[in-house]
């Protein structure tokens, strides 16, 4: 971002508990300041013009504080300084894209790929959280030390709450969608348009609709085709689709992201990462045609997370009120238990299911994770422990916990998933189709060191979200169709026989709703039909056998408590609270209000769940009781060292 200049006599020295240290010299319709909180963490405070309705402004800004997405400068708060509203955001060090192109020229090759993927991953996560940015342009993309970061999130909406304030700086219409120029409020398709114009600028050094004057530029945005002559081939075709005049004709952010991570240039660099040959330029390949797809690279590593929606994958999960309509309506009626069991009645208590409250011991040891500054706080009696992790930055190394309690490296860009009995370790590659048109999973036997590969599905289908049955005899993976952007079925893998059986499910649904094993070995997944949000139970042929349409949205694949007597969801009322339900009867046993911005990760014991709580300096994983009390810190992860964490019942490896 812009360098801070000395404060003038009229500038504030303190605001909302922040110490103002300098004035940011970017040309905006508001004053911008560099500030520090009491701990020394830096932030940006934008002091907006007067004239805002306080209730409307706070109603606009407050929900943005709950959006924590990789690649987006987080909104930390907002309020009023006298009659002027302000918004506080995370500070990102580095030049803006506009400054970098002016100083060093246009981006190309892997640098352009990283920019496109990283910024689109950020937008996909923002859109999944039910929000929009509203002001993507070269000045709001910062090339930070960890990759591109989109800044000024929420500023457009905040300015809209200020009567008479311009929502976009004058002179930058080239990055606004036609509908915004016609007065429409910001929406996801407009973000996609602005993203494409910004990437085109990075590749060419000019706005695709730039025409010298504001009036001529607006006319080009409204009526002419973009100038993408310097961005030929498939990238240019994708940008052209995103710059369509009709917002309904533009692809959604998630669809753009999945196409981006399939480019040939990404394959070359992804292969270099996997083999340790990282260079600035990928090897030259013949022109024409698309290479085999790679599902992650740099920003794409988190891009997959942003599309998948898994809580531990560094992107904010969907709340029940925000999930999109499913393709088909789930089967009505029924419960997890036999059909004779009762449907739920009113909830009278939020007490645990058993009389004896399980004690949570205070941590007696600190475990520091290799390659990070992350600290895990443990006690030997903990029933659940960190079992594996995957670095969120290069070289994307995966680690598995050993019997000794330490961690050993097991792969690169692979998700390590140990079986509950410690007999097997599944390694799910996030680099897809590098040397075959078959997706696969690698399996290893830690006792013997033997490794083998089991093929799962053929391209373009992919398998994701590996989860073991409780007896460790089967591995379940969800089938993702990237063309439809849906999970369409599941694969059952037998590690002893080394076979895989793919099953087409009766219903397809959003990629944020993977299949998982129930405690008794049956298969379940969340569903939404646009009206009801709940859980369906499937038979091994892929048909719905039972439905709990009243329970709300499960998260990830770790719904069930250690005993299997309870499962957890985001409550159906959609306020972010967590509901614990009886697996047998389907009635609610507890309603938990977790800490602000917390995301459900899974169970710790029968009366405690693990939640992920983002904050301005990173992420904390905490234990929260079914009575709502925060019992203990489990993991403290600095933002600069974020990793994909996996928690499993403590068992010998």
């Amino acid at each position: 971002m812009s360098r801070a200049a000395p404060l003038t006599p009229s500038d504030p020295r303190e605001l909302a508990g922040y110490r103002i240290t300098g004035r940011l010299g970017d040309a905006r319709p508001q004053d911008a300041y560099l500030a520090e909180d009491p701990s020394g963490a830096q932030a940006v405070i934008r002091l907006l013009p007067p004239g805002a309705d306080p209730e409307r402004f706070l109603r606009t800004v407050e929900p943005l504080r709950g959006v924590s997405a990789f690649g987006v400068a987080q909104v930390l708060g907002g309020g009023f300084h006298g009659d002027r509203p302000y918004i506080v955001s995370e500070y990102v060090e580095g030049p803006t894209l506009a400054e970098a192109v002016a100083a060093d020229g246009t981006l190309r090759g892997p640098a352009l790929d990283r920019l496109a993927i990283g910024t689109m991953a950020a937008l996909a996560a923002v859109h999944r959280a039910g929000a929009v940015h509203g002001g993507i342009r070269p000045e709001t993309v910062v090339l930070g030390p960890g990759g591109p970061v989109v800044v000024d999130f929420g500023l457009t909406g905040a300015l809209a709450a200020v009567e008479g304030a311009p929502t976009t700086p004058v002179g930058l219409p080239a990055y606004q969608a036609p509908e915004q120029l016609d007065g429409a409020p910001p929406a996801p398709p407009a973000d996609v348009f602005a993203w494409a114009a910004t990437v085109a600028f990075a590749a060419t050094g000019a706005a695709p609709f730039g025409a010298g004057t504001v009036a001529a530029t607006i006319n080009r945005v409204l009526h002419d085709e973009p100038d993408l002559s310097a961005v030929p081939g498939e990238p240019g075709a994708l940008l052209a689709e995103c710059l369509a005049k009709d917002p309904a004709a533009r692809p959604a952010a998630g669809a753009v992201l999945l196409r981006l991570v399939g480019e040939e240039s990404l394959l070359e660099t992804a292969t270099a990462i996997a083999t340790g040959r990282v260079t600035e330029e990928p090897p030259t390949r013949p022109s024409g045609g698309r290479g085999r797809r790679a599902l992650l690279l740099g920003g794409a590593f988190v891009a997959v997370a942003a599309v998948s929606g898994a809580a531990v994958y560094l992107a904010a999960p969907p709340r029940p009120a925000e999930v999109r309509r499913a393709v088909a309506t789930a089967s009505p009626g029924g419960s997890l238990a036999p059909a004779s069991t009762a449907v739920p009645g009113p909830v009278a208590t939020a007490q645990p299911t058993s009389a004896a409250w399980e004690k949570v011991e205070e941590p007696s040891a600190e475990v520091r994770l290799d390659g990070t500054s992350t600290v895990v706080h443990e006690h030997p009696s903990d029933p659940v422990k960190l079992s594996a992790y995957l670095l969120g930055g290069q070289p994307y190394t995966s680690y598995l916990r050993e019997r000794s309690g330490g961690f050993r490296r097991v792969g690169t860009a692979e998700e390590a998933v140990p079986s509950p009995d410690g007999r097997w370790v599944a390694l799910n590659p996030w680099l897809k189709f590098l040397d075959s048109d078959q997706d696969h999973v690698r399996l290893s036997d830690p006792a013997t060191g033997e490794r083998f590969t089991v093929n799962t599905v053929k391209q373009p289908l992919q398998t994701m979200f590996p989860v073991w049955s409780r007896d460790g005899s089967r591995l379940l993976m969800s089938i993702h169709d990237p063309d439809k952007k849906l999970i369409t079925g599941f694969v059952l893998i037998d590690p002893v026989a080394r076979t895989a059986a793919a099953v087409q499910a009766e219903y397809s649904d959003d990629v944020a709703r993977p299949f998982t094993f129930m405690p008794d070995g049956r298969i379940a997944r969340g569903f939404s039909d646009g009206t009801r949000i709940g859980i369906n139970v499937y038979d091994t042929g892929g048909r719905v056998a039972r439905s709990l349409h009243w329970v709300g949205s499960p998260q990830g694949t770790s719904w069930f408590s250690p005993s299997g007597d309870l499962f957890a969801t985001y409550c159906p009322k959609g306020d972010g609270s967590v509901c614990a339900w009886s697996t047998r009867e389907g009635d609610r046993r507890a309603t938990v209000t977790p800490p602000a911005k917390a995301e459900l990760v899974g169970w710790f014991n029968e009366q405690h769940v693990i939640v992920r709580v983002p904050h301005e300096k990173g992420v904390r994983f905490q234990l929260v009781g079914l009575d709502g009390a925060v019992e203990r810190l489990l993991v403290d992860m600095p933002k600069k060292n974020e990793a994909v964490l996996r928690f499993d019942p403590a068992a010998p490896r």
Side-chain angles (χ1 to χ4, degrees), residues 238-257:
L238 177 58
L239 294 182
E241 289 182 40
C242 296
L243 293 170
K245 307 299 183 189
D246 181 2
R250 298 172 206 147
V256 175
L257 193 53

Side-chain angles (χ1 to χ4, degrees), residues 1-4 18 21-24 26 33-36 40-46 72-76 88-95 99 142 144-145 149-152 616 639:
M1 302 182 74
S2 301
R3 292 184 179 273
Y18 288 85
T21 60
R23 170 182 280 273
L24 295 174
D26 45 4
Y33 298 101
L34 184 63
E36 290 183 353
Q42 291 185 307
V44 175
I45 300 179
R46 298 203 181 277
V72 178
Q74 187 175 1
V75 173
L76 304 177
V88 184
S89 301
E90 176 186 6
Y91 173 74
V92 181
E93 185 175 359
E99 293 168 340
V142 175
V149 178
V150 178
V151 301
D152 284 359
E616 59 191 40
K639 184 173 295 185

Side-chain angles (χ1 to χ4, degrees), residues 513-554:
R513 301 190 185 95
F515 288 94
T516 191
F517 274 120
M518 294 177 59
D520 62 3
R522 288 184 292 171
I523 296 167
R525 70 174 297 179
F527 80 89
S528 170
D529 61 10
T531 303
R532 303 172 302 174
I533 303 173
I535 291 171
N536 281 337
V537 181
Y538 287 78
D539 61 26
T540 55
R543 298 192 63 81
V544 174
R546 292 285 186 268
S547 181
L548 281 79
H549 53 77
W550 58 84
V551 298
S553 178

Side-chain angles (χ1 to χ4, degrees), residues 324 344 459 474:
R324 67 179 178 82
Q459 190 179 9
R474 294 181 297 165

Side-chain angles (χ1 to χ4, degrees), residues 230-406:
V231 192
E234 191 162 0
L238 177 58
L239 294 182
E241 289 182 40
C242 296
L243 293 170
K245 307 299 183 189
D246 181 2
R250 298 172 206 147
V256 175
L257 193 53
L258 289 172
R259 287 179 61 179
L260 281 172
V261 297
E263 296 297 335
E264 266 192 2
S265 60
L266 297 179
L267 171 65
E268 299 293 345
T269 308
T271 305
I273 289 174
T275 59
R277 298 181 298 102
V278 182
T279 59
E280 281 301 310
E281 295 293 337
T284 303
R285 296 192 59 138
S287 60
R290 171 179 287 195
R292 295 190 176 102
R293 297 184 178 185
L295 253 187
L296 73 93
L297 164 68
F301 177 88
V302 183
V304 178
V307 176
S308 74
V312 296
Y313 285 3
L314 313 183
R319 293 297 192 255
E322 298 167 349
V323 291
R324 67 179 178 82
R325 188 178 182 90
V327 173
T329 302
S331 298
S335 69
L336 290 178
S340 60
T341 50
V343 297
V347 178
T349 178
Q351 297 301 313
T353 57
S354 62
W357 188 263
E358 290 187 63
K359 185 179 180 181
V360 174
E361 299 287 352
E362 288 300 313
S364 60
E366 290 186 352
V367 178
R368 296 184 180 272
L369 303 185
D370 290 347
T372 78
S373 301
T374 298
V375 179
V376 181
H377 303 272
E378 294 185 338
H379 190 277
S381 66
D382 284 353
V384 168
K385 292 186 177 181
L386 184 68
S387 63
Y389 67 97
L390 182 60
L391 297 184
Q394 291 187 17
Y396 312 109
T397 307
S398 57
Y399 292 84
L400 178 71
R401 192 153 209 169
E402 296 187 298
R403 192 185 301 267
S404 64

